[in-house]
Structure formats: structure tokens, C-alpha cells
């Protein structure tokens, strides 16, 4: 199973946004050594937006192309549909609910079978979670000090489409994510333009 293993902080500085969610990721972003001197072309800007979406959701090029194909068949704007589809990935929702402190940790938790969806163990990070599904931590994993600390210490901002039950180590996707409610800094229209060439 292929995963993204590059340096996270360096990627955040290059893209100009904190895509990994770490509080110290952008500490050195304003250092003179990382200042861009050349003007970025339109294609370069489109490419940066594509790299952003891949970094935010921890996916590779092939997966992004597949998701774009699904989004182009969906109703409404293709760019907004793409972000909404990606937001419903299991590893992303595990991260958003506060089970994990990063998308990489969330992916590992899912692949190691620590996460249940409606009571069933799912070990596929790209699993598409349906509205109304409950995501919970496995009984054995609830005893882990690391998982408990991450769950209770996570200061995740409450999102309209998610419901968190702190006492029962679970959360629920209560509605389909709307683009304006999703906390990612991406110009999805540029991604659509890039794939439309």
C-alpha cells in the first residue's frame, strides 16, 4: 500500500499553508531562505493547488485522478464535489473527529484495524463513509494511553457535519459535507482547470 512519506514541514512551507495540521509546521515559513523570488506561472499556481489537495488528504496522483472522475459525474460544481468526496474518506473523518493528531496517524489507525464503522472493523483508509454512519474506536484500542490522550486532548473545532461523543469514543457523520464548511484552504477551481487541459 503506497503512502506519502516525504518531509511534512518542508511540504507545508513550499505550499504556503499548514496542510499537515501540526502547530509548528509554519514556524520557519517567513525565513528569508524560503522566500520566492520568481513569479509563479498560471500552470504553476494550478499545480500548487493540486499538490495541496493531495497533501491535505494524504492521497497520491492516481487516487486524485479517480476522485476527479467521480466528482465530474456528480451534481453541482466539480471542484466542490471533489473536496466533499475526499472529506468523506474514513481516514480523514478519523482525523477530523480527533481520534488522531494527523492524517498519517489516522491512516495507520484504520489500516491496523483500530477503527469501527457501524460496529464493523474497516481497515481501508479510502473507505467512503455514508451519512448517518458511526465511527468508533475498538474496545481494545480504548485502553491504549496514547489513543486516550489524543482523543481527550484534541481541541478539534466542531464541524457542522460531524457529531462527537467524547464519553463513548465515537463520532457520527450527520450530514454530507458542504464545501463552504470544510476547513481546507484550496482553490478547487484551479484543480478543475488543470485536469480539463
Amino acid at each position: 500500500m503506497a503512502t506519502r512519506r516525504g518531509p511534512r514541514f518542508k511540504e507545508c512551507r513550499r505550499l504556503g499553508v499548514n496542510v499537515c495540521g501540526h502547530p509548528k509546521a509554519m514556524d520557519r515559513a517567513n525565513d528569508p531562505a524560503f522566500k520566492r523570488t520568481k513569479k509563479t506561472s498560471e500552470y504553476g499556481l494550478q499545480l500548487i493547488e493540486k499538490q495541496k489537495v493531495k497533501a491535505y488528504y494524504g492521497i497520491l496522483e492516481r487516487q486524485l485522478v479517480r476522485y476527479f472522475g467521480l466528482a465530474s459525474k456528480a451534481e453541482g460544481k466539480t471542484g466542490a464535489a471533489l473536496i466533499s468526496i475526499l472529506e468523506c474518506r474514513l481516514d480523514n473523518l478519523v482525523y477530523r473527529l480527533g481520534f488522531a493528531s494527523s492524517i498519517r496517524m489516522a491512516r495507520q489507525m484504520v489500516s491496523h484495524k483500530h477503527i469501527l464503522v457501524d460496529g464493523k472493523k474497516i481497515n481501508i483508509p479510502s473507505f467512503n463513509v455514508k451519512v448517518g454512519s458511526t465511527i468508533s474506536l475498538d474496545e481494545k484500542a480504548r485502553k491504549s494511553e496514547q489513543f486516550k490522550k489524543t482523543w481527550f486532548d484534541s481541541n478539534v473545532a466542531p464541524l457542522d457535519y460531524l457529531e462527537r461523543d467524547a464519553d463513548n469514543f465515537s463520532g457520527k457523520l450527520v450530514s454530507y459535507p458542504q464545501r463552504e464548511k470544510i476547513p481546507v484552504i484550496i482553490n478547487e477551481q484551479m484543480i478543475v482547470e488543470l485536469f480539463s487541459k
Side-chain angles (χ1 to χ4, degrees):
M1 183 172 64
T3 57
R4 298 169 62 89
R5 298 188 188 277
R8 296 178 301 161
F9 288 14
K10 189 184 281 187
E11 185 173 48
C12 291
R13 289 195 299 268
R14 182 169 51 82
L15 298 175
V17 290
N18 189 352
V19 290
C20 70
H22 196 285
K24 295 183 180 179
M26 299 299 285
D27 280 1
R28 295 169 60 204
N30 295 322
D31 286 8
F34 304 117
K35 289 287 182 186
R36 282 205 185 101
T37 52
K38 292 181 181 177
K39 189 182 176 184
T40 311
S41 66
E42 188 185 348
Y43 174 74
L45 292 171
Q46 292 171 347
L47 201 59
I48 287 170
E49 295 304 315
K50 186 182 79 166
Q51 300 294 354
K52 274 188 201 176
V53 80
K54 284 163 65 177
Y56 266 122
Y57 294 100
I59 59 173
L60 301 172
E61 185 74 22
R62 203 168 172 182
Q63 291 171 299
L64 182 59
V65 170
R66 183 170 63 85
Y67 283 120
F68 185 81
L70 292 171
S72 59
K73 294 171 187 172
E75 291 180 17
K77 293 182 177 178
T78 303
L82 173 66
I83 305 300
S84 296
I85 290 169
L86 287 167
E87 194 66 18
C88 288
R89 279 174 58 100
L90 178 57
D91 58 353
N92 179 69
L93 291 177
V94 166
Y95 169 55
R96 291 272 188 249
L97 284 164
F99 288 108
S101 56
S102 69
I103 194 77
R104 289 185 183 185
M105 182 180 173
R107 186 184 181 92
Q108 190 177 47
M109 286 177 77
V110 174
S111 58
H112 287 191
K113 299 183 179 179
H114 295 311
I115 300 296
L116 308 174
V117 178
D118 291 332
K120 294 179 183 175
K121 280 188 181 180
I122 304 288
N123 66 339
I124 304 164
S126 62
F127 179 82
N128 182 45
V129 179
K130 301 283 190 290
V131 174
S133 296
T134 301
I135 301 165
S136 57
L137 197 59
D138 178 45
E139 283 294 334
K140 191 178 176 183
R142 291 181 192 190
K143 295 170 187 173
S144 164
E145 287 302 319
Q146 184 190 358
F147 292 157
K148 281 200 285 189
K149 189 176 187 303
T150 305
W151 176 253
F152 290 115
D153 289 358
S154 65
N155 52 355
V156 289
L159 297 168
D160 291 352
Y161 49 90
L162 293 175
E163 194 177 84
R164 194 170 185 262
D165 185 351
D167 296 332
N168 294 315
F169 291 93
S170 68
K172 192 174 183 180
L173 181 65
V174 291
S175 63
Y176 190 68
Q178 297 302 312
R179 175 61 189 101
E180 58 275 9
K181 304 286 185 184
I182 300 171
V184 292
I185 305 165
I186 297 170
N187 183 346
E188 60 274 10
Q189 188 52 39
M190 282 194 171
I191 302 168
V192 175
E193 290 168 9
L194 182 64
F195 277 115
S196 301
K197 285 181 178 178

